[in-house]
Amino acid sequence: MIAYKFLARGSVGPFSKRQWKAGEWVEAARPGEGWGIHACRSQDLSWWIDAELWRVELDGAVGERATQIEARRGRLLDRIDQWNDEARAAFGLDCVFQARDLSVSALRTLGHAGIAGRLAEATTLPQLLEIARSLQAPSGFAGEMFGYAHDAAAAYTARSNAAEASFIASVATAAARGDPSGFDEERRRESRWIAEHVGIEPR
Amino acid sequence: MTARAPAQMTCRELVRVVTEYFEGTISLEDRTRLEHHLVFCDWCVDYLQQMRDTLRVTGKLREEDVPPEVEGELLRAFRDWKRGPP
């Protein structure tokens, strides 16, 4: 089975700290569910982002779980070059503006069209941060929704952490829907974004 | 923020289960939740690395490596800690 795997810079497993080499089969660390070689389906991509994205071959029976799949052994086939620092930065920005759009929509519904309109004017990250910082947060749920746009812009400006921006957008979606399942809904949108931008057939 | 997504692990919860994570006794569900958290939380990544470094360094210590005065001081500190605040 062909799947996908994110690795840290230098082809290092982000949790196992294992050094991967293209073409070399890697066996499960130990028997039992959870100790195998982990990989992603296209719909899992946003849960595991890291510096490098590889196509992997999994061998034998493949166990499927909510956000990953697992096999007894696997090997790296080839690196997906379209997932690079620029793509990761673009993904992070998309998540920041997704959080902004959710804030704008909620603020309009909640009767804060002025604040919503100001946030909606921003077309760049510095603009969004400047506008968000210049506005007085409303109280209650409107304030919470305003906060997601503000926090996403502030956090991404400070740390450029695309995964953090993706998390904030996912929480903002759960808040906007009033249902924790909104979190997974946003993760699926983000996974589609990644798949489309790196040439993986989205599911 | 995580009240909106209660299935997601918080930094506080991660600190609580980190020993089980290192020992490999954590449930698969919690391990997955913990690793989801590490993907986006730089602070917890640093915390785990510090824990790994501490375990590596202290794991090399033998009983005879600890000077008697340090041993005495540590034992006093542990006794005081067990007794609790005065």
Side-chain angles (χ1 to χ4, degrees):
Chain A
M1 177 181 183
I2 304 300
Y4 307 96
K5 189 166 184 68
F6 280 105
L7 294 173
R9 227 172 277 284
S11 306
V12 174
F15 312 114
S16 67
K17 306 299 174 195
R18 180 203 305 274
Q19 174 80 55
W20 285 74
K21 290 198 175 82
E24 246 175 45
W25 285 103
V26 175
E27 304 286 333
R30 54 164 137 155
E33 192 187 356
W35 299 103
I37 303 303
H38 294 108
C40 302
R41 298 153 295 201
S42 65
Q43 69 264 34
D44 304 327
L45 291 166
S46 63
W47 289 92
W48 303 107
I49 67 167
D50 212 317
E52 299 179 6
L53 177 58
W54 289 76
R55 216 176 306 274
V56 291
E57 182 180 0
L58 300 177
D59 189 36
V62 174
E64 303 214 17
R65 290 200 292 275
T67 62
Q68 62 187 178
I69 55 178
E70 180 181 346
R72 297 311 309 151
R73 66 178 197 147
R75 64 173 173 172
L76 299 182
L77 294 177
D78 55 310
R79 186 165 169 191
I80 298 174
D81 293 327
Q82 294 95 321
W83 181 257
N84 49 32
D85 288 349
E86 289 76 34
R88 200 171 166 189
F91 172 68
L93 262 188
D94 178 79
C95 293
V96 170
F97 278 89
Q98 178 69 8
R100 188 280 305 267
D101 291 348
L102 288 160
S103 297
V104 166
S105 172
L107 287 163
R108 282 196 175 123
T109 306
L110 295 164
H112 297 276
I115 297 174
R118 292 281 290 122
L119 288 176
E121 285 168 18
T123 55
T124 66
L125 180 63
Q127 275 176 6
L128 179 57
L129 184 60
E130 192 185 334
I131 291 170
R133 282 188 171 156
S134 72
L135 296 168
Q136 178 74 42
S139 59
F141 180 55
E144 179 187 343
M145 291 309 300
F146 170 81
Y148 294 120
H150 177 280
D151 292 356
Y156 200 62
T157 302
R159 289 182 289 281
S160 303
N161 181 341
E164 186 181 27
S166 138
F167 178 79
I168 295 171
S170 301
V171 175
T173 308
R177 302 281 178 273
D179 183 337
S181 69
F183 191 94
D184 292 2
E185 173 194 328
E186 169 59 11
R187 288 280 151 133
R188 287 192 292 276
R189 187 201 70 81
E190 293 168 3
S191 292
R192 281 196 302 276
W193 189 101
I194 296 170
E196 283 163 10
H197 281 75
V198 302
I200 292 172
E201 188 68 34
R203 274 183 63 184
Chain B
M1 194 183 276
T2 45
R4 292 290 184 184
Q8 304 309 307
M9 186 170 280
T10 61
C11 300
R12 188 180 295 235
E13 188 181 356
L14 183 143
V15 169
R16 214 171 54 231
V17 299
V18 72
T19 307
E20 293 166 57
Y21 182 65
F22 281 133
E23 289 173 348
T25 55
I26 193 170
S27 70
L28 178 54
E29 185 190 349
D30 279 349
R31 181 147 62 93
T32 305
R33 293 172 61 238
L34 184 149
E35 290 176 349
H36 283 161
H37 184 91
L38 291 177
V39 169
F40 71 87
C41 184
D42 290 341
W43 292 281
C44 286
V45 168
D46 287 347
Y47 172 71
L48 244 71
Q49 190 55 49
Q50 286 165 7
M51 291 291 284
R52 276 198 186 95
D53 291 344
T54 305
L55 288 169
R56 197 183 63 246
V57 172
T58 55
K60 286 181 189 162
L61 274 179
R62 296 165 306 170
E63 206 174 327
E64 56 269 32
D65 292 334
V66 183
E69 64 273 18
V70 175
E71 187 182 346
E73 202 170 312
L74 281 171
L75 286 170
R76 260 195 311 280
F78 285 134
R79 273 195 292 270
D80 291 348
W81 170 70
K82 271 191 157 178
R83 241 181 255 131

